[in-house]
Amino acid sequence: MKILNVVGARPNFVKIASIMSAYRNAPGIRPLLVHTGQHYDEALSDLFFKQLDIPKPDINLGVGSSSQAVQTADIMKAFEPVMLQHKPDAVLVVGDVNSTIACGQVAVKLGAKLIHVEAGLRSFDRTMPEEINRVLTDAISDFLFCTEQSGVDHLLHEGIQRGRIFLVGNVMIDTMLRHRAKAETSRILEMQGLKPREYAVLTLHRPANVDDPAIFGRILDALEHIQKDMRIIFPMHPRTRANLAHSDLGKRIETMPGLRIMEPVGYLDFLKLMTHARVVLTDSGGVQEETTILQVPCLTLRDNTERPATVDSGANQVVGRDPVKILTAYRRVMDQQRLTIRTPPFWDGRAAERIVRILCERFNV
Ligand code: UDP
C-alpha cells in the first residue's frame, strides 16, 4: 500500500516526524514524503528535518510563499502530476495549513483515500485561515484521527460517520517526548545567559495578532510591563518580522531592554527554552499542547483556542489581547507555585503507532 504524506510548514514537520518513524514497523506500507515548500528555509524547514530525523522528502514541490489563494492554487497544480505519477492508495495530511487542504482536495478528486491527522479541532473563528482549512479538510477525509475528545465531538456534530473517527492522541507530543532528553543537551540557556524558571518565552505569528499594528500594539503594552519584571525571549517568526518592518512597532520594541528578539530557533533549542521557562506566552497551537505536557504555564494571546484539552488540563489560559487581562493572568501565574496538570487521554507518545496500526487494519496490510 502506497501512502503519500504531505508536509509544508514548521508545525507539520514536528507532526510527521513521529508518523514517518512509526511506518518503520509497518512493512506493508510504502510511505513517500512530499514537501510542498510552503516553509522552505533553514530555520523553519531544513533544521527540523535534521534534528527530528525526518527522511529526505521524496518529492519537493518548491512552491514558496505568496498570497493564500496563489499558494493554495500553486500547491494544487504542483501536486496533481505527483498524484498521477505515483498513484497512491492514500494521502495523509496533518494539521491545518494551506498544504493540508490543497493536497487533500487534489487527492480525493483523483480517487485516493484521505487521512487527516489532527482532525476535528475547531476554534469556531472563521476569520482564522486555519479554521477554514480544518473544516474543509475534515469534510472530505476518509480517516479522521483526533488528538482530543472535543475533535471527536465536533466531527460527530458535523455529521461525519462515527466509523471514520479515531481518538488516537497527539503526534506532536510523540515527537516531543522522543526528543526531550536530546533537547536537554542544548546549550541555549547558557548561550543566552538564562537561568531556569527566571525567564518567559514568547511566540507570535497568527495574522489576527501581528497583521494589525493596533492589536500588536496592545499586546506590546502588556509585554512592556512584563519585560520589566522578567526577561522575555522572543524567537520571531518571519511573518511577524516582516510586519514590524512596516510599522513603528519595531522602534517601540527597541525601547524594551528585557524583550530579546531572536531568529526562530531550532526544535531542540526551543524545547529546552520551553521546558525551563517560568511562563510561555503564545498564539501558537502546538505550543499550547507542548507546554501542557511540559507542565509549564501557558498564556494564550488569542480570544479562543481550538485545543480546549490544554485548558481543561490546567496548563493553558486563553487570555486574549487586552493588556489588562494579559497582565492579570501573568501576575496570577507568578503567584502560583507548581501546576497540577491532568494529562489529556492518549498524549503518551504512542499516537503515531496507533494511527499506523489502524491504517494497517483498515487497508488489510
Ligand atoms: N517551534 C520551534 N522554534 C521556534 C518556535 C516554535 O521549534 O522558534 C516549534 C514548537 O515547539 C512547535 C512548532 O514549532 O513544535 C509550532 O509551530 P508554529 O507555532 O509555527 O505553528 P502552530 O502550532 O501555531 O500551527
Side-chain angles (χ1 to χ4, degrees), residues 192-207:
Q192 292 293 325
L194 300 169
K195 294 216 175 74
R197 288 176 63 78
E198 291 187 5
Y199 63 93
V201 173
L202 168 71
T203 79
L204 282 177
H205 70 283
R206 294 257 102 79

Side-chain angles (χ1 to χ4, degrees), residues 95-147:
D96 53 18
V97 299
N98 290 340
S99 302
T100 311
I101 180 58
C103 295
Q105 205 176 326
V106 173
V108 289
K109 287 191 179 169
L110 289 174
K113 296 287 180 210
L114 183 61
I115 304 160
H116 186 203
V117 174
E118 202 183 87
L121 295 180
R122 296 288 179 270
S123 64
F124 299 101
D125 175 359
R126 294 256 170 134
T127 65
M128 277 182 92
E130 297 88 347
E131 181 75 354
I132 307 297
N133 294 341
R134 291 181 200 120
V135 170
L136 295 177
T137 305
D138 288 339
I140 56 173
S141 290
D142 299 283
F143 292 84
L144 299 103
F145 291 109
C146 298
T147 52

Side-chain angles (χ1 to χ4, degrees), residues 248-307:
D248 295 334
L249 297 175
K251 287 197 197 74
R252 189 162 163 218
I253 286 186
E254 281 168 23
T255 67
M256 300 184 197
L259 181 58
R260 188 178 299 166
I261 295 175
M262 310 162 67
E263 290 298 315
V265 293
Y267 184 78
L268 297 174
D269 284 342
F270 192 71
L271 180 49
K272 174 111 187 210
L273 278 173
M274 278 192 298
T275 303
H276 298 284
R278 179 70 182 85
V279 59
V280 172
L281 300 105
T282 193
D283 60 9
S284 158
V287 171
Q288 293 173 58
E289 299 182 331
E290 290 165 339
T291 47
T292 294
I293 297 303
L294 295 172
Q295 312 217 342
V296 173
C298 178
L299 301 182
T300 295
L301 308 181
R302 290 174 39 189
D303 295 330
N304 50 55
T305 180
E306 60 289 327
R307 291 160 160 92

